[in-house]
Amino acid sequence: MAVSFLARDVSDLCLGKPPLRSLSASVTVAEALAVLKSSGESSVSVWICDHSQVGRCECVGKLCMVDVICYLCKEENLLSPSSALNAPLSAILPKVPGLVVHLESSSSLLEAIDLILQGAQNLVVPILPTKRSGISRRKQLQKASTINSHNGLEFCWLTQEDVIRFLLGSIGLFSPLPALSIDALGIISSDVLAIDYFSPASSAVGAISKSLTQQTSVAIVDTDGTFIGEISPFTLACCEETVAAAITTLSAGDLMAYIDCGGPPEDLVRVVKARLKEKNLEKMLEEFTILSSLTGEASASSSSSSDEETSTRTLTRAGRYARSSSYSARMVRKAEAIVCHPKSSLVAVMIQAIAHRVNYLWVIEDDCSLVGIVTFSNMLKVFREHLETI
């Protein structure tokens, strides 16, 4: 029964998914950043299309704000962020092959799982038109920029979360696997990206970039190995590009507080400005100060409103949509790390991860010592191995 379930087409997982917002790989980083900010989404797809040949359109990457932030954190780019933003987009895309893979809508779920286990983080699947949506789709295509349609087709992302959510819907087919602990299943990975609480956040830039590629996160620990929190690319993806200034000047622990969804504390904003000045990073300081000033004006305007309005705006700032010197108006994630215990069952961990919209959970003991990390990829490997025994 489970085998026939996994033979289902991936198109079943794509029903109702929105079409990808796209941009050309030939644009500059600044142009891509503008599209990303105006899209209201956490990422956009990057395409190479040769319109002189039919069918030569390929999605080559997925761009989010974390890519821009890590790019701006490079020493040469800190000196002149404006010049760095005028570089071609190719300078910023991950060089790891196979992260984005095209998959036909008629492909099986088993094929999708195999690609993910081979390293694909995002699968690009054509959206099949339906009789009911055919007319509305054509109208959307007429209104939309042609870059959002490729050879007359629209595409969507098929992610690890989509596959896990689909498996969870029929989890009983895999009994008794879901009831076993993640420790017993051997899917806790001790190979984690971690940084000491007091270490410079700048020393974690490489780890942040790697965690984005792996769809994990960077753990923050103390000298005894106690888990304190994380620097999550899922949280950074909701920030403005000027968070690069905070990464350059703050410790890992302070950065964790800075990117919290409530917005950065004013004392940390002052620290960032002072340290940028000490480092002679005038251009970065200028960019950072402009956004901080805009935030200050917005806060002043908000404080002059009625108690009822103030209450509402406070809720908005800490809730789904926020804007500060670190946050954009895109969806905001809680900076709080999601954890589980080694004895947690597989199904409990799946539910917990999906509920919090993360691709991983940190595994800690009762004394908060870090054991490792469990990822969607680890979980899919167990399901795949289970099928081989049927």
Side-chain angles (χ1 to χ4, degrees):
M1 185 67 180
V3 176
S4 61
F5 172 78
L6 290 176
R8 296 179 65 170
D9 293 349
V10 294
S11 58
D12 292 343
L13 282 71
C14 298
L15 293 174
K17 291 182 73 71
L20 294 181
R21 185 176 290 271
S22 316
L23 55 84
S24 170
S26 62
V27 303
T28 65
V29 175
E31 290 170 330
L33 182 59
V35 171
L36 187 60
K37 286 184 171 183
S38 64
S39 70
E41 300 171 7
S42 61
S43 64
V44 292
S45 58
V46 182
W47 292 72
I48 292 178
C49 290
D50 183 358
H51 294 291
S52 64
Q53 299 183 45
V54 178
R56 291 298 302 274
C57 269
E58 180 185 6
C59 180
V60 295
K62 182 178 184 180
L63 179 75
C64 74
M65 188 60 77
V66 186
D67 295 305
V68 179
I69 292 170
C70 291
Y71 171 69
L72 290 176
C73 283
K74 293 181 178 180
E75 187 175 354
E76 63 271 23
N77 296 335
L78 288 170
L79 297 172
S80 181
S82 298
S83 299
L85 291 174
N86 287 325
L89 186 57
S90 57
I92 205 174
L93 290 176
K95 301 299 187 289
V96 182
L99 291 180
V100 175
V101 178
H102 280 259
L103 188 65
E104 291 299 324
S105 55
S106 58
S107 301
S108 70
L109 180 57
L110 196 58
E111 290 177 80
I113 292 176
D114 285 341
L115 285 172
I116 290 172
L117 294 179
Q118 291 167 20
Q121 299 294 350
N122 290 277
L123 303 176
V124 184
V125 182
I127 297 177
L128 295 178
T130 62
K131 292 180 180 179
R132 191 172 184 177
S133 65
I135 298 176
S136 59
R137 282 285 183 199
R138 285 196 293 271
K139 287 182 178 179
Q140 289 175 10
L141 285 173
Q142 290 170 359
K143 292 180 179 179
S145 169
T146 55
I147 200 169
N148 289 322
S149 172
H150 307 280
N151 298 317
L153 293 174
E154 289 181 314
F155 295 81
C156 67
W157 294 124
L158 182 64
T159 65
Q160 294 180 16
E161 180 185 343
D162 295 325
V163 177
I164 290 290
R165 188 184 296 273
F166 196 69
L167 292 175
L168 186 61
S170 300
I171 197 68
L173 298 176
F174 299 91
S175 181
L177 191 70
L180 299 178
S181 72
I182 56 175
D183 187 24
L185 290 169
I187 59 174
I188 303 173
S189 173
S190 59
D191 184 17
V192 300
L193 299 167
I195 184 173
D196 183 78
Y197 183 88
F198 295 104
S199 296
S202 57
S203 64
V205 172
I208 293 171
S209 181
K210 188 175 181 179
S211 70
L212 176 64
T213 300
Q214 297 177 345
Q215 297 192 17
T216 57
S217 187
V218 181
I220 297 180
V221 297
D222 65 10
T223 52
D224 297 323
T226 300
F227 182 73
I228 298 175
E230 67 176 349
I231 302 174
S232 167
F234 298 97
T235 301
L236 284 172
C238 302
C239 297
E240 296 283 358
E241 70 275 16
T242 49
V243 168
I247 294 176
T248 304
T249 55
L250 299 178
S251 67
D254 285 341
L255 177 65
M256 185 173 63
Y258 187 94
I259 64 176
D260 185 42
C261 68
E266 288 301 322
D267 58 332
L268 285 181
V269 173
R270 289 192 292 270
V271 168
V272 171
K273 290 180 179 178
R275 291 180 181 172
L276 285 174
K277 192 172 183 179
E278 290 173 8
K279 293 174 177 284
N280 296 318
L281 296 174
E282 289 84 359
K283 295 294 185 181
M284 179 62 79
L285 176 59
E286 182 181 343
E287 296 284 339
F288 183 82
T289 303
I290 289 173
L291 271 180
S292 297
S293 300
L294 291 174
T295 305
E297 291 174 7
S299 299
S301 174
S302 177
S303 63
S304 64
S305 58
S306 67
D307 292 342
E308 182 179 353
E309 290 173 331
T310 302
S311 174
T312 302
R313 293 182 185 184
T314 301
L315 176 64
T316 302
R317 186 168 184 257
R320 184 175 180 186
Y321 296 99
R323 178 168 291 278
S324 69
S325 57
S326 71
Y327 275 85
S328 74
R330 296 184 302 280
M331 186 179 292
V332 177
R333 306 184 68 95
K334 278 271 188 187
E336 183 180 355
I338 310 302
V339 301
C340 66
H341 191 271
K343 299 304 179 184
S344 298
S345 68
L346 174 60
V347 67
V349 169
M350 291 171 68
I351 293 171
Q352 192 177 358
I354 288 175
H356 291 280
R357 301 300 305 275
V358 293
N359 285 32
Y360 61 91
L361 267 73
W362 296 108
V363 185
I364 62 172
E365 293 286 5
D366 294 333
D367 61 356
C368 292
S369 58
L370 181 62
V371 177
I373 191 171
V374 59
T375 67
F376 279 162
S377 182
N378 299 143
M379 300 176 202
L380 290 174
K381 185 177 180 181
V382 167
F383 284 107
R384 187 66 179 87
E385 291 174 348
H386 178 72
L387 286 173
E388 295 177 356
T389 64
I390 298 176

